[in-house]
Amino acid sequence: METREYEKVKSEFQEKILQIFIDFSTRIAKIEELGAVGSRLLRGFHQGLEFLRRAPINTKAELMKRIIEANETERVKSYFAAGCINNQDRIQNLSKLNTCLLGLHDHLTKAKSILNELENLLEDLTSTISSFNKSLSLENEALCGKFEQATINQEERSPSSPQELAMTDYAVLMGIIYSMVKQDYAMQEKVVMSLNLKSLSEEMESYCLMWSLRPFVNDEIMNQAWKLIQ
Protein backbone atom coordinates (compact mmCIF):
# COMPACT_ATOMS: atom_id res chain seq x y z
CA MET A 1 0.00 0.00 0.00
CA GLU A 2 1.49 3.36 -1.01
CA THR A 3 1.86 6.20 1.43
CA ARG A 4 -0.84 8.33 -0.25
CA GLU A 5 -3.30 5.44 -0.31
CA TYR A 6 -2.49 4.60 3.30
CA GLU A 7 -3.09 8.17 4.39
CA LYS A 8 -6.45 8.15 2.61
CA VAL A 9 -7.51 4.93 4.35
CA LYS A 10 -6.28 6.28 7.66
CA SER A 11 -8.23 9.53 7.20
CA GLU A 12 -11.46 7.68 6.35
CA PHE A 13 -10.96 5.42 9.31
CA GLN A 14 -10.43 8.35 11.68
CA GLU A 15 -13.58 10.06 10.41
CA LYS A 16 -15.60 6.90 10.99
CA ILE A 17 -14.19 6.48 14.48
CA LEU A 18 -15.00 10.09 15.34
CA GLN A 19 -18.57 9.72 14.04
CA ILE A 20 -19.10 6.60 16.16
CA PHE A 21 -17.77 8.51 19.16
CA ILE A 22 -20.14 11.42 18.48
CA ASP A 23 -23.11 9.02 18.19
CA PHE A 24 -22.01 7.38 21.42
CA SER A 25 -21.74 10.74 23.20
CA THR A 26 -25.18 11.79 21.96
CA ARG A 27 -26.71 8.74 23.59
CA ILE A 28 -24.75 9.37 26.79
CA ALA A 29 -26.31 12.84 26.87
CA LYS A 30 -29.77 11.28 26.49
CA ILE A 31 -29.20 8.82 29.31
CA GLU A 32 -28.02 11.66 31.57
CA GLU A 33 -31.18 13.62 30.77
CA LEU A 34 -33.24 10.56 31.66
CA GLY A 35 -31.32 10.22 34.91
CA ALA A 36 -32.18 13.81 35.88
CA VAL A 37 -35.87 13.18 35.19
CA GLY A 38 -35.70 9.93 37.16
CA SER A 39 -34.16 11.78 40.10
CA ARG A 40 -37.12 14.18 40.19
CA LEU A 41 -39.58 11.29 40.03
CA LEU A 42 -37.81 9.52 42.88
CA ARG A 43 -37.95 12.66 45.03
CA GLY A 44 -41.64 13.00 44.16
CA PHE A 45 -42.26 9.43 45.32
CA HIS A 46 -40.38 10.15 48.54
CA GLN A 47 -42.38 13.32 49.20
CA GLY A 48 -45.65 11.51 48.56
CA LEU A 49 -44.76 8.78 51.02
CA GLU A 50 -43.72 11.27 53.68
CA PHE A 51 -47.01 13.13 53.30
CA LEU A 52 -49.06 9.97 53.80
CA ARG A 53 -47.09 8.80 56.81
CA ARG A 54 -46.65 12.13 58.55
CA ALA A 55 -47.30 11.98 62.28
CA PRO A 56 -50.81 12.97 63.43
CA ILE A 57 -51.33 16.03 65.57
CA ASN A 58 -50.85 15.36 69.27
CA THR A 59 -54.40 15.81 70.54
CA LYS A 60 -53.27 15.30 74.14
CA ALA A 61 -51.28 18.53 74.21
CA GLU A 62 -53.04 21.16 76.31
CA LEU A 63 -53.17 23.74 73.54
CA MET A 64 -54.60 21.26 71.04
CA LYS A 65 -57.21 20.13 73.56
CA ARG A 66 -58.51 23.69 73.89
CA ILE A 67 -58.55 24.19 70.12
CA ILE A 68 -60.44 20.94 69.53
CA GLU A 69 -62.94 21.65 72.31
CA ALA A 70 -63.58 25.12 70.88
CA ASN A 71 -64.11 23.75 67.36
CA GLU A 72 -65.50 20.28 67.98
CA THR A 73 -67.53 19.72 64.81
CA GLU A 74 -68.11 16.45 63.00
CA ARG A 75 -65.74 17.56 60.27
CA VAL A 76 -62.94 18.25 62.76
CA LYS A 77 -63.53 14.90 64.43
CA SER A 78 -63.36 13.11 61.08
CA TYR A 79 -60.17 14.97 60.20
CA PHE A 80 -58.39 13.89 63.37
CA ALA A 81 -59.76 10.35 63.05
CA ALA A 82 -58.22 10.17 59.57
CA GLY A 83 -54.80 11.08 60.93
CA CYS A 84 -55.05 14.77 60.06
CA ILE A 85 -55.14 14.09 56.31
CA ASN A 86 -58.28 14.81 54.36
CA ASN A 87 -59.45 12.26 51.80
CA GLN A 88 -58.80 14.52 48.82
CA ASP A 89 -55.13 15.01 49.79
CA ARG A 90 -54.78 11.27 50.37
CA ILE A 91 -56.21 10.46 46.93
CA GLN A 92 -53.98 13.04 45.23
CA ASN A 93 -50.85 11.72 46.91
CA LEU A 94 -51.66 8.11 46.11
CA SER A 95 -52.12 9.20 42.50
CA LYS A 96 -48.78 11.03 42.66
CA LEU A 97 -47.06 7.93 44.01
CA ASN A 98 -48.47 5.82 41.20
CA THR A 99 -47.47 8.39 38.56
CA CYS A 100 -43.92 8.63 39.91
CA LEU A 101 -43.55 4.85 40.08
CA LEU A 102 -44.82 4.39 36.52
CA GLY A 103 -42.46 7.14 35.39
CA LEU A 104 -39.50 5.44 37.05
CA HIS A 105 -40.30 2.11 35.36
CA ASP A 106 -40.58 3.94 32.04
CA HIS A 107 -37.18 5.49 32.78
CA LEU A 108 -35.66 2.02 33.22
CA THR A 109 -37.10 0.87 29.89
CA LYS A 110 -35.73 3.88 28.01
CA ALA A 111 -32.35 3.77 29.75
CA LYS A 112 -31.99 0.05 29.01
CA SER A 113 -32.71 0.70 25.33
CA ILE A 114 -29.99 3.34 25.20
CA LEU A 115 -27.54 1.00 26.96
CA ASN A 116 -28.17 -1.54 24.20
CA GLU A 117 -27.45 1.13 21.60
CA LEU A 118 -24.21 2.04 23.39
CA GLU A 119 -23.17 -1.59 23.38
CA ASN A 120 -23.86 -1.82 19.64
CA LEU A 121 -21.73 1.27 19.00
CA LEU A 122 -18.88 -0.30 20.96
CA GLU A 123 -19.17 -3.37 18.76
CA ASP A 124 -19.16 -1.16 15.66
CA LEU A 125 -16.01 0.55 16.89
CA THR A 126 -14.28 -2.75 17.57
CA SER A 127 -15.26 -4.01 14.12
CA THR A 128 -14.01 -0.82 12.47
CA ILE A 129 -10.63 -1.02 14.20
CA SER A 130 -10.35 -4.69 13.27
CA SER A 131 -11.16 -3.95 9.63
CA PHE A 132 -8.57 -1.20 9.50
CA ASN A 133 -5.89 -3.47 10.95
CA LYS A 134 -6.71 -6.17 8.41
CA SER A 135 -6.43 -3.67 5.56
CA LEU A 136 -2.73 -3.21 6.32
CA SER A 137 -0.37 -5.65 4.71
CA LEU A 138 2.72 -7.06 6.36
CA GLU A 139 4.87 -5.11 3.89
CA ASN A 140 3.72 -1.87 5.50
CA GLU A 141 4.74 -2.64 9.06
CA ALA A 142 7.54 -0.11 8.92
CA LEU A 143 5.20 2.52 7.52
CA CYS A 144 2.62 1.76 10.20
CA GLY A 145 5.29 2.13 12.84
CA LYS A 146 6.17 5.57 11.51
CA PHE A 147 2.52 6.55 11.49
CA GLU A 148 1.96 5.36 15.04
CA GLN A 149 5.04 7.25 16.22
CA ALA A 150 3.82 10.37 14.43
CA THR A 151 0.44 10.01 16.14
CA ILE A 152 2.13 9.73 19.54
CA ASN A 153 4.14 12.86 18.82
CA GLN A 154 0.99 14.70 17.80
CA GLU A 155 -0.79 13.65 20.99
CA GLU A 156 2.06 15.01 23.07
CA ARG A 157 1.66 18.38 21.36
CA SER A 158 -2.16 18.55 21.51
CA PRO A 159 -3.78 15.64 23.42
CA SER A 160 -7.25 17.22 23.46
CA SER A 161 -7.74 17.38 19.69
CA PRO A 162 -10.08 14.66 18.30
CA GLN A 163 -8.17 14.50 15.02
CA GLU A 164 -4.91 13.85 16.83
CA LEU A 165 -6.15 11.41 19.42
CA ALA A 166 -4.86 7.87 19.01
CA MET A 167 -7.48 5.68 17.33
CA THR A 168 -7.68 3.07 20.06
CA ASP A 169 -8.04 5.75 22.74
CA TYR A 170 -11.62 6.33 21.60
CA ALA A 171 -12.39 2.67 22.17
CA VAL A 172 -10.82 2.76 25.64
CA LEU A 173 -12.71 5.93 26.62
CA MET A 174 -16.02 4.60 25.30
CA GLY A 175 -15.50 1.32 27.12
CA ILE A 176 -14.85 3.10 30.43
CA ILE A 177 -17.90 5.36 30.04
CA TYR A 178 -20.14 2.46 29.07
CA SER A 179 -19.03 0.53 32.15
CA MET A 180 -19.79 3.53 34.39
CA VAL A 181 -23.29 4.22 33.04
CA LYS A 182 -24.09 0.50 33.09
CA GLN A 183 -23.25 0.35 36.81
CA ASP A 184 -25.27 3.51 37.38
CA TYR A 185 -28.25 1.94 35.60
CA ALA A 186 -27.92 -1.24 37.69
CA MET A 187 -28.08 0.88 40.85
CA GLN A 188 -31.15 2.73 39.57
CA GLU A 189 -32.86 -0.52 38.65
CA LYS A 190 -32.35 -1.92 42.17
CA VAL A 191 -33.75 1.27 43.68
CA VAL A 192 -36.87 1.32 41.50
CA MET A 193 -37.60 -2.37 42.00
CA SER A 194 -37.43 -1.97 45.79
CA LEU A 195 -39.94 0.91 46.01
CA ASN A 196 -43.26 0.32 47.75
CA LEU A 197 -45.56 1.97 50.27
CA LYS A 198 -43.56 0.42 53.12
CA SER A 199 -40.20 1.88 52.03
CA LEU A 200 -38.58 3.49 55.08
CA SER A 201 -37.78 7.19 55.20
CA GLU A 202 -34.08 6.46 55.75
CA GLU A 203 -34.04 4.17 52.73
CA MET A 204 -35.72 6.76 50.53
CA GLU A 205 -33.25 9.44 51.60
CA SER A 206 -30.34 7.14 50.74
CA TYR A 207 -31.90 6.23 47.37
CA CYS A 208 -32.40 9.88 46.44
CA LEU A 209 -28.83 10.74 47.46
CA MET A 210 -27.31 7.81 45.55
CA TRP A 211 -29.32 8.62 42.43
CA SER A 212 -28.29 12.28 42.39
CA LEU A 213 -24.62 11.70 43.28
CA ARG A 214 -24.07 8.97 40.64
CA PRO A 215 -21.19 7.36 42.58
CA PHE A 216 -20.25 5.06 39.70
CA VAL A 217 -19.76 7.92 37.22
CA ASN A 218 -16.43 9.77 37.14
CA ASP A 219 -17.18 13.38 36.17
CA GLU A 220 -13.59 14.04 35.09
CA ILE A 221 -13.77 11.26 32.51
CA MET A 222 -17.16 12.48 31.31
CA ASN A 223 -15.83 16.02 30.91
CA GLN A 224 -12.88 14.69 28.93
CA ALA A 225 -15.31 13.02 26.54
CA TRP A 226 -17.41 16.18 26.10
CA LYS A 227 -14.30 18.22 25.26
CA LEU A 228 -13.46 15.86 22.40
CA ILE A 229 -16.66 16.72 20.52
CA GLN A 230 -16.79 20.45 21.21
Side-chain angles (χ1 to χ4, degrees):
M1 185 185 297
E2 296 181 356
T3 303
R4 183 176 300 177
E5 182 181 354
Y6 177 85
E7 291 297 328
K8 180 181 178 182
V9 172
K10 181 198 72 176
S11 178
E12 292 175 350
F13 170 76
Q14 286 180 319
E15 288 180 6
K16 187 171 182 179
I17 291 294
L18 182 57
Q19 186 57 55
I20 292 175
F21 185 78
I22 291 173
D23 292 342
F24 183 90
S25 299
T26 299
R27 285 160 177 79
I28 290 295
K30 289 181 179 179
I31 209 167
E32 289 196 335
E33 290 174 2
L34 284 175
V37 174
S39 181
R40 291 194 292 272
L41 290 169
L42 185 61
R43 289 198 300 271
F45 188 89
H46 183 199
Q47 291 168 359
L49 273 184
E50 291 307 303
F51 180 86
L52 291 176
R53 62 165 57 123
R54 68 183 181 183
I57 296 174
N58 183 8
T59 57
K60 294 183 179 181
E62 192 61 34
L63 176 61
M64 288 308 305
K65 282 182 179 180
R66 291 200 298 268
I67 293 175
I68 294 171
E69 289 173 358
N71 301 274
E72 195 169 7
T73 63
E74 289 302 320
R75 184 175 180 180
V76 170
K77 290 180 179 179
S78 298
Y79 183 72
F80 280 104
C84 301
I85 300 177
N86 63 51
N87 289 332
Q88 185 61 31
D89 287 342
R90 187 184 298 276
I91 292 172
Q92 288 180 351
N93 272 273
L94 286 172
S95 176
K96 178 180 180 180
L97 287 172
N98 185 59
T99 299
C100 289
L101 193 57
L102 289 175
L104 286 166
H105 280 280
D106 183 60
H107 158 77
L108 290 181
T109 300
K110 292 177 179 177
K112 181 62 176 177
S113 177
I114 295 176
L115 277 176
N116 291 337
E117 292 177 6
L118 293 175
E119 187 173 357
N120 290 336
L121 286 169
L122 277 173
E123 292 175 356
D124 289 345
L125 186 68
T126 302
S127 177
T128 300
I129 293 174
S130 178
S131 296
F132 177 76
N133 290 334
K134 289 179 181 179
S135 69
L136 304 180
S137 63
L138 293 175
E139 289 80 9
N140 286 301
E141 287 182 356
L143 181 60
C144 292
K146 292 179 181 179
F147 165 68
E148 291 172 358
Q149 185 59 49
T151 302
I152 293 173
N153 294 336
Q154 287 175 336
E155 288 174 2
E156 291 174 351
R157 290 195 299 271
S158 179
S160 62
S161 173
Q163 289 76 17
E164 297 174 359
L165 193 69
M167 300 177 191
T168 54
D169 285 354
Y170 285 103
V172 173
L173 186 56
M174 286 169 60
I176 292 173
I177 293 174
Y178 173 75
S179 177
M180 292 191 304
V181 297
K182 187 176 182 180
Q183 290 181 77
D184 196 50
Y185 169 82
M187 178 270 294
Q188 293 175 359
E189 185 179 37
K190 290 178 181 178
V191 167
V192 174
M193 293 305 178
S194 70
L195 297 179
N196 57 69
L197 295 177
K198 296 182 180 180
S199 296
L200 301 177
S201 297
E202 295 79 6
E203 290 178 332
M204 291 303 306
E205 289 172 2
S206 297
Y207 293 159
C208 291
L209 184 61
M210 284 281 288
W211 195 298
S212 62
L213 288 179
R214 301 192 309 164
F216 301 104
V217 177
N218 187 314
D219 289 334
E220 291 184 6
I221 294 177
M222 298 300 292
N223 290 334
Q224 179 185 352
W226 298 133
K227 288 178 181 179
L228 292 175
I229 58 175
Q230 290 178 350

